Amino acid sequence: MKADELKRLRDALGRLTANQRKLVLHELAHAQAIDEVADCIEKRLAARPMCPACNGEHVVRNGFANGLQRYKCRDCRITFNALTGTPLARLRYRDKWLDQAKVLDEGLSVRKAATRLGVHSTTAFRWRHRWLACPREAKAVHMAGVVEADETYQLLSYKGQPARLARQTQRAPRRRGGKAAKRGVSSEQVPILVMRNRSGETSDFVLPNTGKAALKAVLPQALADDSVLCSDGINHLHQAAVELAIEHQAINMSAGERIRGPWHVQNVNAYHSRLKTWLRRFNGISTHYLPNYLGWFRALDRNARLRVDAVSLLALAIGPGPSALNAN
């Protein structure tokens, strides 16, 4: 817009009615939301643009489309933008993405999220799990220091999957989460191993069972070579640690021991409590999507600890740029 056009626009603002001013403010807020989202997206490739197809660095700018910078790879000739190859590629209504970040931060149900965003519930559901594709993988690896470990359990659920429920079990559908037919640990419960060090780094794994083999498959991913594993004396976990040559300190909870010097599992147990309290709002979650919800809660817990805003969930949902992935 030219300077004289801007001046005429500013002069006209004083003649607007109250309703007209509201319309203008709405349009400005809409434009500002798009700009903020675009700025967050562009940061993914700002430092070092790389081709998502061939990882080539011979990349040039190639105009704009839909408010985003496009690039062209001189090696393989494809064109792309900062969203290409991310879970959010080709999603519409970019002006609502900041509100979607806030919805995730508040942990709203699908129906409440759909109402807040002004979209259909199927769109809200699809957005939720597209946005959680990256957070589900963003867990701590090779944690150093004292790493507390403990298991928690989530009820096996086929929520939203009636055909699969009919194929794999004879039971009737549960209502609003429901309860297991048997008390305690059984085949109706899905084990989740949570590991958390004293710095607040967290990693979790949905296990097929609590056997030694399942534990040996995940411990090396989460623990550094010089870390010390601390648990409440889970037998299979101790056996796995011994076979992997990991130092293991066990707290004898059955004998009333809670703390022995620096050894305890209070941090991971507190995390379990927060996780279970947060999950109750969903009245049961599908086991198929359980890793997504675990990643979602890890992101919320980390944001609360670091005191960052909900918009960080947008950057996490977009994922790191190709240069960051190659560096890792």
Side-chain angles (χ1 to χ4, degrees), residues 94 96 155 200 263:
R94 207 178 298 152
K96 299 179 183 289
L155 191 62
W263 315 119

Side-chain angles (χ1 to χ4, degrees), residues 18-161:
N19 286 335
Q20 288 172 337
R21 284 195 295 270
K22 289 180 181 179
L23 288 174
V24 170
L25 288 174
H26 175 75
E27 291 299 322
L28 288 175
H30 176 270
Q32 183 177 6
I34 292 177
D35 289 343
E36 290 179 11
V37 169
D39 182 61
C40 184
I41 294 170
E42 298 290 15
K43 287 179 181 178
R44 181 172 179 267
L45 295 183
R48 186 181 167 194
M50 292 179 65
C51 175
C54 70
N55 291 330
E57 298 187 43
H58 192 192
V59 171
V60 296
R61 296 176 183 272
N62 193 45
F64 282 83
N66 299 319
L68 294 178
Q69 175 70 56
R70 290 200 65 81
Y71 301 88
K72 185 172 184 177
C73 177
R74 292 296 195 189
D75 296 327
C76 68
R77 313 297 295 176
I78 73 161
T79 61
F80 58 93
N81 62 27
L83 281 179
T84 302
T86 73
L88 304 192
R90 300 184 183 278
L91 284 187
R92 300 170 61 194
Y93 307 122
R94 207 178 298 152
D95 58 306
K96 299 179 183 289
W97 286 10
L98 289 181
D99 290 331
Q100 168 69 5
K102 295 173 184 176
V103 161
L104 285 177
D105 189 52
E106 295 175 29
L108 299 186
S109 67
V110 168
R111 288 187 177 86
K112 289 181 179 179
T115 300
R116 171 81 66 84
L117 297 170
V119 298
H120 195 275
S121 58
T122 57
T123 299
F125 180 83
R126 183 172 63 255
W127 279 17
R128 169 180 293 183
H129 293 290
R130 291 277 287 273
W131 279 59
L132 296 178
C134 284
R136 68 176 284 170
E137 306 300 333
K139 60 181 70 174
V141 296
H142 306 307
M143 291 182 287
V146 178
V147 180
E148 302 174 20
D150 199 9
E151 295 167 349
T152 186
Y153 293 84
Q154 186 69 22
L155 191 62
L156 179 65
S157 172
Y158 297 96
K159 184 177 182 179
Q161 302 168 302

Side-chain angles (χ1 to χ4, degrees), residues 113-228:
T115 300
R116 171 81 66 84
L117 297 170
V119 298
H120 195 275
S121 58
T122 57
T123 299
F125 180 83
R126 183 172 63 255
W127 279 17
R128 169 180 293 183
H129 293 290
R130 291 277 287 273
W131 279 59
L132 296 178
C134 284
R136 68 176 284 170
E137 306 300 333
K139 60 181 70 174
V141 296
H142 306 307
M143 291 182 287
V146 178
V147 180
E148 302 174 20
D150 199 9
E151 295 167 349
T152 186
Y153 293 84
Q154 186 69 22
L155 191 62
L156 179 65
S157 172
Y158 297 96
K159 184 177 182 179
Q161 302 168 302
R164 189 177 177 191
L165 172 65
R167 286 196 309 269
Q168 299 190 11
T169 181
Q170 300 299 315
R171 68 170 174 81
R174 301 190 188 100
R175 301 300 178 189
R176 300 185 66 79
K179 297 180 180 180
K182 300 177 182 178
R183 295 185 63 182
V185 177
S186 68
S187 59
E188 294 181 88
Q189 305 284 345
V190 179
I192 304 166
L193 178 67
V194 178
M195 287 178 278
R196 185 175 173 89
N197 68 9
R198 302 290 167 82
S199 299
E201 296 177 309
T202 306
S203 191
D204 50 53
F205 300 90
V206 179
L207 302 176
N209 54 64
T210 56
K212 180 177 63 176
L215 294 168
K216 286 179 65 176
V218 300
L219 288 178
Q221 302 176 42
L223 302 176
D225 293 337
D226 59 349
S227 62
V228 180

